[in-house]
């Protein structure tokens, strides 16, 4: 379990990193927190000639709030985001999902950008960002591209990033008032990639009618999964337990989980519905308690 | 944790007052482990060492054609590539303990590869990374052959054969019947039969196996440093390498980073030793995690049980039948001997007077199996306890009441079980009562029912199990009558130097069992000297004494016996010196806390310093003919060993029997079918405790290990014969999140057959936890009318399927 010999580059600036990527992108790999890449190197599943470590580029480590978006730098760690009031207020579904990612030790090193760039359908954040219609900002020496989440995750571990591109930041629109979010998952052990995971974010009108619903699922599809059909059954309906159950049944119909050593496909399908139902109920309860949206809260 | 230590009421202990035994005291090994200063084998690698990487078979069964090593040898830094044919030409096959001469096993596959992951070639290079570069470039021609993965298929007539020249996959097939089987069956009103599946798991050590070998051609000596826990290791390495045993020096002063049975490593050491001799260089083979999990031959028992209990309407169990099929993997080696251990505890803690046992071992195209914590006893305990629970369900009887009713009673010891083994001592009812009190059973039941009221599935698990301790080698004779070995000794040297300092010398390595603490405590107790002042060091295999290794929960018992013997001989010598000097007959002086004292007048005495000075320096004061110095080596048999298996198949297996009672409360989320262990109580009796913290550590760790077996751990294979659990992503060890707080209450029923009343504790917790956790899950399922699950590990999807099946049945 020793990696194939490679050359390590440690650029100090983004420009330097882009320069290196332009030169070595085809046979190079970007290193962020290393929580996925280092095992891949050690198993020799990744065999780059060049590894470009982003660890020294401070510019990628910031969380910012613009008027129209929360901007998370690619090198922001899970831990940093977990403790960020800005993330909690403007992107409560991201906040709700973060504690479910791996263990604390891994969250201390693993980065938001690394998770997105890795594009694992079992991972929490790719699914959450899909459900939130987040925008991925890719940069290269050629320029900057803004890529919608739905166009970013192409297949299992495949994204729209080009060889010479870096993921620089992720932009999420802030939530309006009366929004609540919850994340729920079931794994065989604490911290494992979930057998199935579900996140829900609901925005309600003053009379407790669902005006917007977002449902993210992990581990039940070959790509990060957004349960659009289930969301549609909710919008325009009054908050009600039976409603969550109906959405759960739609989820059970729409997901396409695989079987493996850890669980059957039938189990994953059924449990995906169960945890969606629970996430919706919890999200609705929070939305009912949350009269102010994030923009007002930050004033 | 509450630790209740009771003074032994019975037992051979003559000294009423104990100085150090059973008292809370520091565990001396902890300091170096906690500060990260252990010395493990990989810490001993010197800069000029060569490293080995292995080429592993991708096929479960394939004929090996040409092996092209040329590209690998081109890699700068690669020194050599060794194939199985080259190795086999110059070494003896690895030892088989069964009488199966057609089954030939070498460190590298010869002729064909018999499991995916088996080592086919070894690449030696300046660094491990370069060795791996080379290993990738070795090209092997494989011709895939038919293979078998399922042990029941393997046992059948039409199965592909793993070792075709052996003619069958069945390696052992033994039937036993003890006691009045027909009569006891006739006494019963009912029978219940439960089939249980103990899937493959193991102890998975933090440190993988590692070995360093160095050959000195001038001294003609092979030095070996290894991460081992293996009896007869030096002999087997020497035998395979065709060199005299006195040319192999195995160093035991190496910390072993976890084992519980699996650190056998003969094949690794033979391979490294061969390479060291051939290349004239120091060679290190440190497994990486993949090599350890696939090719290290470290998997544990993989069993299918059928347990039948016959019983009366009132719940008196009259007879037990156990059928077991064990999947050894490709090379049986020592692992089938594990099928003999249950014979020594075939009726568990229950007063059952007849038994039938049918044990069958088959080979399959899987990684090899090896001895694991308890030598097969925990799977057997699980199978028995699952059947006892089924009897309770059948009779509508309380599970605890059924057990209490059938327990061997405290005044029935020593108790001879039908297989001829005598249980030494026990007080199962008292331990049960202590467990019930610690768990507050009434509150536990109330909590279960409250959880059920909230919509959870909830269940209480119970298991009462034995830990046979003090392993001797008689299982070798049971499974292979040609092997007439009847002793399995341990030894200790106690030396008092010219300054009066005491050193105890042992010749084993330890894998975290705190032997240094145990030895110092016992020597201190025997001599009346503070254990803090006693040094414990480890000889190597050439300067040491007959010793096996810390397997079979035996060191405290057998090494304890050796310490007792050596200390007795030392005290005797001191008394002779003292009596001579005081002008008294020897039987009129006592040894007391370092001094020799007149029995009638305590003021007439010779101090430690005076005694030591005479023994080392003053021949003129010694009794005539006495050897100078104070050096005592005592080699001890295992207590109660020494007889062969009788023609009727009865045998005394283990000398001591520890007992443990588990009570567990589990909650199951009805939506996700996930299990959460809410409360966990173990009541445990291992006789005299040497160091309470060490015993407590064993109980905690063993229970965690058993929870892993019950809910998480499995080495799984695809139908294509590929390992599915190739890293810790898929082989799931329980973490602190999964293991609840464990409450341990201790009880002490001393053994009458050991030096200080001690019994085995190295398998504590693990003996009963798999059974108890499964029992809790099944009680939860039973609460909603679902059928019990009888296959470990129990996964959420298994519970979910059982719940769906119950729903369908009721609708
Ligand atoms: C034991 C364990 C448990 C885990 N459990 C979970 C879990 O439950 N849920 C979960 O989501 N994840 C889990 N992970 C994975 C973890 O979240 C990873 O940290 C994450 O997937 C990758 O982030 P990273 O910063 O470590 O990226 P790295 O490992 O450094 O990189 C991952 C990949 O992304 C690329 N990359 C990284 N950053 C960029 C960038 N800015 N631009 C372009 N490409 C980039 C790299 O080249 C590489 O291909 C687990 C990991 C471990 C070791």
């Amino acid at each position: 379990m020793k990696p194939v010999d490679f050359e390590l580059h440690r650029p100090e600036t983004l420009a330097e990193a882009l320069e290196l990527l332009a030169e070595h992108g085809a046979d190079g790999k970007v290193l962020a927190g290393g929580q996925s890449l280092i095992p891949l190197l050690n198993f020799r599943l990744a065999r780059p000639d060049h590894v470009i470590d982003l660890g020294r580029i401070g510019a990628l480590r910031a969380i910012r709030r613009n008027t129209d978006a929360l901007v998370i730098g690619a090198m922001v760690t899970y831990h940093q985001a977990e403790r960020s009031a800005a993330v909690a207020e403007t992107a409560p579904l991201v906040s709700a999902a973060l504690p479910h990612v791996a263990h604390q030790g891994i969250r201390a090193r693993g980065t938001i950008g690394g998770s997105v760039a890795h594009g694992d359908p079992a991972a929490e954040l790719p699914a959450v960002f899909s459900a939130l219609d987040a925008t991925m900002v890719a940069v290269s020496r050629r320029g900057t591209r803004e890529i919608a989440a739905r166009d970013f995750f192409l297949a299992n571990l495949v994204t729209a990033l080009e060889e010479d591109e870096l993921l620089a930041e992720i932009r999420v629109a802030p939530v309006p008032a009366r929004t609540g979010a919850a994340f729920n998952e079931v794994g065989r052990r604490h911290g494992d990639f979930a057998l199935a995971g579900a996140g829900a974010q609901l925005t309600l009108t003053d009379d407790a009618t669902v005006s917007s619903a977002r449902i993210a699922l992990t581990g039940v599809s070959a790509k990060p999964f957004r349960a659009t059909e289930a969301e549609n059954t909710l919008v325009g309906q009054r908050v009600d337990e039976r409603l969550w159950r109906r959405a759960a049944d739609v989820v059970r119909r729409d997901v396409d989980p695989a079987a493996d050593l850890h669980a059957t496909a039938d189990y994953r399908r059924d449990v995906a519905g169960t945890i969606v139902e629970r996430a919706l109920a919890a999200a609705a309860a929070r939305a009912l308690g949350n009269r102010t949206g994030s923009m007002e809260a930050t004033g | 944790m509450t630790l209740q230590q009771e003074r032994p009421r019975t037992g051979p202990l003559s000294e009423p007052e104990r100085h150090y035994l059973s008292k809370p005291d520091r565990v001396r090994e902890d300091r170096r482990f906690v500060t990260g200063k252990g010395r493990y084998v990989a810490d001993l690698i010197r800069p000029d060492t060569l490293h080995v990487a292995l080429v592993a078979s991708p096929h479960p069964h394939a004929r090996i054609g040409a092996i092209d090593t040329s590209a690998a040898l081109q890699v700068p830094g690669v020194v050599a590539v060794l194939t199985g044919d080259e190795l086999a030409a110059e070494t003896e096959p690895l030892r088989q303990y069964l009488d199966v001469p057609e089954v030939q096993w070498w460190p590298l596959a010869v002729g064909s590869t018999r499991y995916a992951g088996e080592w086919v070639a070894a690449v030696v290079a300046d660094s491990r990374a370069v060795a791996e570069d080379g290993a990738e470039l070795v090209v092997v021609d494989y011709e895939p052959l038919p293979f078998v993965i399922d042990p029941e298929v393997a046992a059948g007539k039409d199965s592909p054969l793993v070792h075709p020249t052996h003619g069958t996959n069945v390696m052992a097939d033994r039937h036993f019947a003890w006691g009045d089987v027909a009569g006891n069956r006739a006494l019963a009103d009912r029978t219940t039969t439960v089939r249980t599946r103990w899937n493959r798991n193991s102890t998975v050590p933090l440190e993988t196996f590692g070995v360093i070998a160095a050959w000195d051609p001038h001294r003609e000596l092979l030095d070996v440093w290894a991460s081992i826990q293996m009896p007869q290791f030096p002999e087997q390495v020497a035998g395979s390498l065709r060199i005299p045993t006195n040319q192999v020096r195995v160093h035991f002063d190496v910390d072993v980073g976890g084992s519980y049975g699996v650190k056998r490593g003969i094949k690794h050491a033979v391979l490294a030793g061969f390479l060291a001799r051939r290349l004239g260089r120091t060679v290190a083979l440190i497994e990486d995690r993949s090599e350890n999990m696939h090719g290290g031959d470290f998997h544990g028992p993989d069993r299918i049980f059928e347990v039948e209990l016959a019983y009366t309407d009132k719940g008196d169990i009259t007879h037990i039948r156990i059928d077991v099929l064990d999947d050894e993997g490709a090379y049986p080696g020592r692992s089938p001997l594990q099928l003999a251990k249950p014979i020594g505890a075939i009726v568990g803690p229950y007063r059952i007077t007849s038994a039938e046992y049918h044990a069958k071992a088959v080979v399959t195209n899987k990684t090899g199996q090896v001895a694991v914590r308890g030598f097969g006893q925990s799977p057997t305990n699980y199978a028995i306890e699952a059947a006892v629970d089924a009897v309770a369900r059948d009779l509508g009887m309380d599970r605890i009441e059924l057990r209490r009713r059938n327990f061997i009673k405290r005044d029935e010891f020593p108790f001879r079980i039908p297989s001829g083994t005598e249980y030494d001592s026990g007080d199962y009812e008292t331990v049960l009562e202590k467990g019930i009190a610690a768990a507050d059973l009434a509150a536990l039941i109330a909590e279960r029912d409250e959880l059920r009221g909230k919509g959870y599935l909830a269940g209480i698990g119970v298991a009462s199990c034995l830990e046979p301790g003090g392993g001797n080698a008689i299982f070798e004779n049971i499974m292979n009558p040609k092997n007439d070995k009847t002793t399995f000794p341990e030894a200790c040297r106690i030396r008092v130097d010219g300054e009066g300092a005491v050193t105890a010398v042992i010749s084993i390595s330890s894998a975290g069992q705190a032997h240094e603490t145990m030895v110092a405590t016992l020597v201190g107790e025997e001599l009346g000297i503070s254990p803090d002042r006693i040094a414990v060091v480890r000889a190597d295999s050439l300067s040491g004494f007959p010793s096996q290794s810390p397997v079979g929960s035996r060191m405290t018992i057998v090494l304890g016996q050796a310490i007792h013997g050596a200390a007795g001989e030392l005290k005797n010598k001191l008394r002779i010196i003292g009596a001579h000097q005081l002008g008294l007959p020897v039987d009129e002086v006592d040894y007391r806390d370092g001094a020799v004292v007149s029995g009638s007048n305590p003021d007439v005495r010779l101090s430690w310093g005076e005694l030591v000075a005479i023994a080392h320096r003053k021949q003129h004061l010694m009794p005539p003919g006495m050897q100078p110095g104070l050096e005592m080596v005592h080699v001890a048999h295992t207590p109660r060993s020494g007889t062969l298996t009788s023609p009727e198949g009865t045998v005394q297996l283990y000398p001591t029997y520890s007992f443990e009672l588990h009570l567990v409360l589990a909650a199951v989320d009805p939506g996700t079918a996930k299990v959460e262990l809410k409360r966990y109580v173990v009541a445990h009796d291992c006789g005299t405790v040497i160091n309470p913290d060490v015993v407590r550590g064993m109980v905690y760790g063993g229970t965690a290990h058993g929870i892993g077996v019950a809910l998480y751990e499995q080495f799984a294979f695809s139908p294509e014969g590929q390992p599915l659990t190739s890293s810790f992503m898929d082989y799931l060890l329980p973490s602190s999140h999964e293991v609840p707080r464990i409450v341990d209450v201790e009880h002490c029923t001393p053994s009458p057959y050991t030096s200080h009343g001690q019994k085995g504790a190295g398998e504590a917790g693990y003996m009963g936890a798999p059974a108890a956790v499964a029992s809790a899950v099944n009680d939860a399922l039973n609460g909603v009318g679902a059928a019990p699950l009888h296959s470990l590990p129990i996964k959420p999807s298994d519970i979910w399927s059982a719940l769906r099946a119950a729903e369908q049945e009721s609708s």
Side-chain angles (χ1 to χ4, degrees):
Chain A
M1 265 189 223
K2 303 284 181 205
V4 177
D5 200 23
F6 60 80
E7 193 177 333
L8 179 68
H9 305 270
R10 312 197 71 188
E12 305 280 341
T13 64
L14 186 59
E16 238 181 279
L18 297 182
E19 212 44 55
L20 285 162
L21 264 179
E23 192 180 338
H24 302 301
D27 50 6
K29 271 273 171 199
V30 164
L31 175 67
Q35 299 304 297
S36 293
L37 184 57
I38 298 289
L40 289 170
L41 291 174
N42 285 343
F43 278 115
R44 298 192 167 207
L45 293 169
R47 314 170 66 97
D49 292 327
H50 299 269
V51 171
I52 302 158
D53 176 11
L54 303 183
R56 296 185 171 175
I57 307 174
L60 296 175
R61 290 204 183 271
I63 301 173
R64 287 179 286 128
R65 258 191 288 201
N66 292 346
T67 41
D68 61 343
L70 172 75
V71 182
I72 305 173
M75 288 296 287
V76 167
T77 63
Y78 294 117
H79 177 75
Q80 206 184 332
E82 220 176 328
R83 294 168 52 122
S84 157
V87 174
E89 287 158 15
T90 50
L93 184 57
V94 175
S95 269
L98 283 168
H100 295 274
V101 179
H103 300 270
Q104 216 149 47
I106 290 153
R107 293 203 295 274
R109 284 189 177 271
T111 65
I112 310 285
S115 175
V116 169
H118 197 51
D120 189 336
E124 287 79 3
L125 293 188
V128 162
F129 287 132
S130 296
L132 294 180
D133 282 327
T135 302
M136 314 304 170
V137 180
V139 292
S140 69
R141 216 173 49 177
R142 294 176 289 126
T144 300
R145 284 203 296 157
E146 294 188 3
I147 310 167
R150 85 180 81 83
D151 302 321
F152 186 84
F153 300 108
L154 302 179
N156 188 5
L157 305 183
V158 182
T159 71
L161 286 176
E162 302 285 346
E163 278 173 356
D164 63 343
E165 276 181 325
L166 262 185
L167 177 64
E169 59 192 37
I170 298 125
R171 295 189 192 150
V172 185
V175 297
R178 281 196 174 278
T179 297
F183 200 96
N184 230 309
E185 66 179 38
V186 51
R188 286 194 61 196
R189 293 177 311 176
H190 178 95
D192 284 337
F193 278 106
L195 299 172
Q201 182 172 298
L202 293 174
T203 305
L204 306 180
T205 61
D206 283 342
D207 66 347
T209 298
V210 177
S211 61
S212 154
R214 296 168 183 278
I215 300 175
L217 283 143
T218 71
V220 292
S221 166
K223 283 202 290 180
F225 190 82
R226 177 174 184 184
T228 322
E229 290 293 318
E231 291 173 1
N232 291 342
T233 61
L234 300 172
V235 175
Q237 308 289 319
R238 292 284 296 260
V239 167
D240 177 2
E241 263 179 42
R242 276 166 306 183
L243 189 57
W244 316 142
R245 210 165 305 143
R246 211 153 69 221
D249 284 336
V250 174
V251 164
R252 289 190 181 100
R253 189 195 67 199
D254 288 354
V255 295
D256 183 22
D260 65 13
L261 171 66
H262 301 296
T264 59
D266 283 346
Y267 170 83
R268 281 197 165 93
R269 175 186 303 281
D270 185 56
V271 165
T274 304
I275 59 179
V276 160
E277 187 179 333
R278 291 178 184 177
L280 284 169
R286 285 181 195 156
L288 288 170
N290 176 13
R291 295 179 173 277
T292 54
S294 56
M295 299 317 278
E296 293 156 38
T298 57
Chain B
M1 157 94 195
T2 34
L3 195 83
Q4 293 163 18
Q5 203 63 56
E6 292 201 349
R7 281 211 165 280
R9 289 177 300 262
T10 57
L13 216 54
S14 51
E15 300 94 337
E17 198 46 56
R18 286 177 183 168
H19 296 292
Y20 309 109
L21 209 57
S22 311
K23 303 264 162 68
D25 195 8
R26 76 188 170 91
V27 177
R28 64 169 60 188
E29 289 87 343
D30 284 357
R31 282 191 297 188
R32 68 175 188 268
F33 294 145
V34 170
T35 56
K37 299 295 180 200
R39 254 168 28 114
Y40 302 95
V41 62
D43 296 324
L44 305 173
I45 295 176
R46 287 194 299 250
D48 59 342
T49 302
L50 294 175
H51 295 259
V52 179
L54 295 144
V55 178
S57 167
H59 300 285
H61 198 187
R63 189 163 295 121
I64 300 172
I67 299 182
D68 182 354
T69 62
S70 52
L73 287 166
Q74 299 287 308
V75 175
V78 168
V79 173
V81 181
L82 181 72
T83 65
D85 283 345
E86 293 170 278
L87 180 66
E90 295 180 45
T91 55
E92 295 301 311
L94 304 174
R95 177 156 177 208
Q96 293 295 339
Y97 284 78
L98 296 176
D99 186 16
V100 286
E102 291 299 322
V103 178
Q104 304 239 314
W105 183 22
W106 273 277
L108 302 173
V110 176
S112 60
T113 155
R114 294 185 171 83
Y115 64 90
E118 184 174 5
W119 301 345
V120 173
V123 179
V124 191
D126 292 340
S127 78
R128 169 72 197 204
V130 171
E132 288 185 27
D133 291 346
E136 287 188 329
L137 297 175
V138 173
V139 183
V140 185
D141 261 350
Y142 293 106
E143 181 196 328
L145 296 169
F147 59 89
V148 58
I149 294 301
D150 183 317
E152 287 177 301
V153 174
K157 284 205 170 41
D158 305 323
S159 172
L161 295 179
V162 179
H163 298 275
T165 51
H166 182 68
T168 166
N169 291 323
V170 177
M171 295 286 139
D173 192 0
R174 303 294 309 272
H175 288 266
F176 300 89
W178 303 282
D180 182 4
V181 176
N184 282 347
R185 279 186 177 279
L187 288 176
D189 302 305
R190 312 166 71 86
T191 67
T192 287
T193 302
V194 176
R195 181 187 152 100
T196 36
R197 182 75 173 96
W198 176 284
N199 279 299
R200 211 168 244 256
N201 55 65
S202 196
T203 43
V204 181
L206 208 54
E207 177 208 34
T208 58
F209 186 83
V211 55
I212 302 171
W215 171 249
D216 182 335
H218 309 294
R219 291 195 179 87
E220 295 194 310
L221 194 60
L222 183 73
D223 276 299
V224 178
W225 296 263
S227 176
I228 40 163
Q229 181 194 8
M230 176 67 191
Q232 300 110 39
F233 180 87
E235 295 90 320
Q236 291 192 44
V237 172
S240 203
L241 292 177
R242 298 176 179 160
I243 55 177
T245 42
N246 61 4
Q247 290 185 6
V248 175
R249 178 165 65 182
V250 178
H251 296 263
F252 295 124
D253 195 9
V254 177
D255 286 322
V256 178
S259 173
Y260 286 106
V262 299
K263 290 278 180 70
R264 302 289 164 159
I266 301 282
K267 78 172 189 183
H268 310 60
V270 169
L271 178 57
F274 179 84
L275 289 168
R277 277 165 53 81
R278 162 165 293 190
L279 302 171
R281 298 277 302 272
T282 302
V283 173
L285 193 178
I286 311 289
E287 286 178 335
D288 69 16
R289 190 57 68 181
S290 297
E291 285 161 354
N292 178 262
M293 286 181 137
H294 299 166
D297 293 324
F298 286 156
H299 291 183
D302 183 350
R303 295 186 177 181
I304 300 164
F305 287 94
E306 195 177 281
V307 176
E308 181 192 9
L309 292 174
Y311 46 99
T312 65
D313 287 333
K314 287 189 173 143
D316 293 316
I317 302 169
T318 62
H319 178 71
I320 185 169
R321 173 178 63 82
I322 301 180
D323 286 1
V324 57
L325 176 66
D326 192 25
D327 177 346
E328 311 297 329
Y331 299 95
R334 195 173 166 82
S335 56
L337 303 181
Q338 295 180 86
L339 287 168
K341 180 158 182 175
I343 293 171
I346 197 79
V347 295
Y350 308 114
R351 199 202 309 99
I352 305 173
T353 55
S354 65
E356 292 162 279
Y357 184 51
H358 176 202
K360 196 188 261 193
V362 295
V363 286
T364 59
N365 294 107
K366 291 185 194 161
T367 305
Q369 199 201 104
V370 75
V372 162
R373 200 177 209 160
F375 216 56
Q377 190 63 45
S378 189
T380 312
N381 288 347
Y382 161 63
I384 294 174
E385 291 297 285
V388 171
D389 274 6
V391 170
R393 279 193 295 273
D394 179 46
L395 292 172
M397 199 169 163
D398 179 71
R399 288 169 294 160
I400 292 175
E401 197 42 51
L402 176 66
R403 285 174 169 82
R404 190 186 276 127
R405 185 180 184 95
N406 285 283
F407 275 160
I408 299 160
K409 301 293 179 287
R410 68 173 76 85
D411 54 9
E412 293 176 320
F413 292 95
F415 183 87
R416 188 186 149 100
I417 63 170
S419 56
T421 289
E422 251 178 32
Y423 292 169
D424 55 336
S425 67
D427 186 349
Y428 306 155
E429 292 159 280
T430 301
V431 176
L432 172 67
E433 292 316 320
K434 280 192 169 182
I436 287 174
D440 190 352
L441 185 61
L444 204 67
I445 292 169
E447 192 176 343
R448 175 191 66 181
D449 295 345
E450 192 188 321
L451 283 163
R452 286 180 176 178
K454 283 188 193 153
Y456 278 88
L457 283 71
I460 292 173
V462 52
S464 45
C465 298
L466 296 177
E467 176 185 351
N472 55 39
I474 197 65
F475 40 74
E476 296 187 20
N477 175 246
I478 298 173
M479 294 306 286
N480 177 5
K482 283 189 183 167
N483 191 335
D484 62 355
K485 175 155 87 183
T486 53
T487 189
F488 210 47
E490 289 303 328
C492 180
R493 173 195 294 270
I494 301 179
R495 62 188 312 253
V496 181
D497 62 29
E499 302 302 316
V502 182
T503 302
V505 189
I506 54 177
S507 26
I508 51 153
S509 48
S510 304
Q513 302 100 325
H515 293 131
E516 292 161 27
T517 299
M518 181 271 281
V519 170
T521 307
L522 282 182
V523 172
E525 183 70 33
E526 291 276 352
L527 298 182
I529 294 175
S530 168
D532 284 344
R533 288 170 45 208
I534 291 161
V536 181
V537 300
R538 296 166 194 268
D540 57 59
S541 62
L542 293 182
S543 62
F545 339 99
S547 262
Q548 306 303 320
S549 74
V551 295
S553 263
R554 59 195 297 279
M555 290 327 258
T556 302
I557 296 162
V558 194
L559 184 52
Q561 185 66 40
I563 291 165
H564 181 64
E569 287 158 26
L570 177 69
K571 287 186 279 191
N572 214 29
K573 180 165 185 176
L574 293 171
R575 281 172 61 228
I576 293 170
I577 294 171
H580 182 70
Q581 189 62 16
L582 297 172
L584 293 167
V586 174
D587 57 9
E588 281 179 26
V589 298
D590 293 331
Y591 174 88
R592 208 174 293 149
D593 297 341
V596 171
V597 185
S598 156
S600 52
N601 179 0
D603 292 336
V604 176
R605 55 190 292 135
L606 215 61
S607 73
W608 180 257
E610 291 166 307
L611 291 163
V612 169
I614 293 170
H616 277 278
R617 293 185 289 277
K618 305 185 183 180
Q619 189 181 356
H620 62 287
L621 299 181
M622 279 183 218
M626 176 172 271
Q627 277 184 38
L630 294 165
E631 299 277 341
M632 297 298 169
V633 182
H634 188 95
V635 188
H637 292 295
T638 303
R640 314 209 76 196
S641 64
T643 45
L644 291 166
T645 313
S646 81
E648 302 78 51
T650 56
V651 61
Q652 178 69 42
L653 259 149
Y654 286 65
T656 72
Y657 287 80
S658 299
F659 177 72
E660 62 192 49
L661 182 281
H662 294 236
L663 283 170
V664 197
L665 175 64
V668 183
D669 181 326
T672 63
K674 243 198 109 163
V675 177
E676 186 192 347
L677 301 180
K678 295 273 196 190
R679 308 231 175 274
Y680 208 112
V681 171
V682 187
H684 175 239
D685 181 354
C686 62
T688 303
V689 166
I690 311 298
N691 180 300
D693 279 341
V694 172
V695 169
R696 187 174 58 172
M698 289 293 179
V699 171
Y700 288 175
T703 302
H705 184 186
I707 290 170
V709 168
L711 299 176
Y712 306 107
E713 299 180 41
Q714 182 182 359
F715 283 112
F717 291 80
S718 72
E720 295 76 37
Q722 294 300 326
L724 293 173
T725 31
S726 40
S727 77
F728 288 143
M729 288 273 282
D730 289 308
Y731 189 89
L732 306 182
L733 292 164
S735 76
S736 57
H737 294 285
E738 284 71 47
V739 178
R741 181 171 163 265
I742 297 160
V743 176
D744 173 34
V745 278
E746 291 286 329
H747 184 71
C748 177
T749 313
S751 173
Y753 303 123
T754 59
S755 61
H756 297 81
Q758 68 272 39
K759 301 183 177 187
E763 297 144 6
Y766 184 62
M767 288 294 105
V773 173
S775 170
V777 171
N778 285 338
D779 186 39
L781 289 171
N782 196 38
V784 293
L789 291 168
H790 288 310
S791 176
L792 302 185
I794 300 172
K795 303 172 197 173
S797 60
D798 300 330
I799 296 175
W800 181 86
S801 299
L803 293 173
R804 296 298 87 81
E807 273 169 16
Q808 271 175 8
E809 207 158 285
S810 69
S811 67

